[in-house]
Amino acid sequence: MSHDGENIMVILSSPSGVGKTTLTKKIQQKYQSFKISVSHTTRPPRSNEVDGVDYHFVSKKKFENLIFEKKFYEYAKIFENYYGTLKENVDNIIKKNDLIFDIDWQGTKQLSKYKNLRLTKIYLITGSKDELKKRLLKRNQNTTQEVKKRFESFDEDIKHWSDYDYILINENLENCFKQIETIIKNSKENSQHSISSVIR
Ligand code: 5GP
């Protein structure tokens, strides 16, 4: 995988329910250059999700074939389902656009091994564990069992914060969005600097 021009890759990770999807969509709406990396998953779609937009929903057999054929830059098993980022999709998008990845810490670790990537890694959290539980329950998209599993994964997740460049607390969506915008602008500028120093 290699970059053309100064396009950047931003990873946004967080426990479920912190507002990552909303923020990712906000970035894409405001910055036309950004595309969201649409992952493959074996998780069944939620009622509001569209195949090919939110995820590419595939069977376990299809996913395991893709693993066998080494088609993924990264993949992970999360809450008993597979999630992964297809090489082909990333390689096509990064030629013309910046990319946002909504992936977990396992995927972040795997992508970080590609040293030539201009990755900016952001971890989003809520102000407290109680707040996270409230948001998960309010979201009402998961069964009680799923909420429990997602809540419990928080303790495992926080062990991996040191793999990230930035940790942001999403107490207020607009403030958090502004912080992400600043990070993105800095990353773009740094990327342009590194290109001009190569050209010179
Ligand atoms: P959900 O089922 O709530 O949509 O996502 C569960 C978790 O899977 C989230 O933390 C999300 O960031 C992560 N995830 C989604 N797509 C990918 C992917 O392609 N790779 C990895 N490693 N994690 C993913």
Side-chain angles (χ1 to χ4, degrees), residues 12-17 20-21 37-41 43-44 46 49 54-55 57 63 72 74-79 81-86 101-108 110 136 139 141-142 146 150 153 157:
L12 222 51
S13 296
S14 75
S16 303
K20 182 178 42 180
T21 310
S37 164
V38 180
S39 300
H40 278 59
T41 185
R43 166 170 81 58
R46 296 180 184 131
E49 288 178 327
D54 297 285
Y55 282 104
F57 296 99
F63 200 103
F72 290 110
E74 65 75 31
Y75 70 90
K77 207 165 197 183
I78 308 165
F79 314 124
N81 287 303
Y82 283 120
Y83 296 80
T85 306
L86 216 60
F101 297 89
D102 170 347
I103 60 174
D104 82 330
W105 61 268
Q106 302 175 77
T108 304
Q110 292 170 47
L136 275 173
R139 193 162 74 160
Q141 286 167 349
N142 301 300
E146 279 173 331
R150 279 166 163 72
S153 73
D157 271 29

Side-chain angles (χ1 to χ4, degrees), residues 8-19:
I8 59 165
M9 297 184 173
V10 176
I11 297 180
L12 222 51
S13 296
S14 75
S16 303
V18 178

Side-chain angles (χ1 to χ4, degrees), residues 6 9-10 18 32 50 54 80 97 102 128 130 153 158 191:
E6 62 255 22
M9 297 184 173
V10 176
V18 178
Q32 304 294 315
V50 178
D54 297 285
E80 280 120 58
N97 293 92
D102 170 347
S128 71
D130 274 353
S153 73
I158 60 174
S191 149

Side-chain angles (χ1 to χ4, degrees), residues 174-187:
E174 283 313 314
N175 286 348
C176 190
F177 181 60
K178 278 190 200 132
Q179 287 175 322
I180 294 176
E181 283 188 289
T182 308
I183 293 171
I184 287 174
K185 277 182 198 147
N186 286 341
S187 299

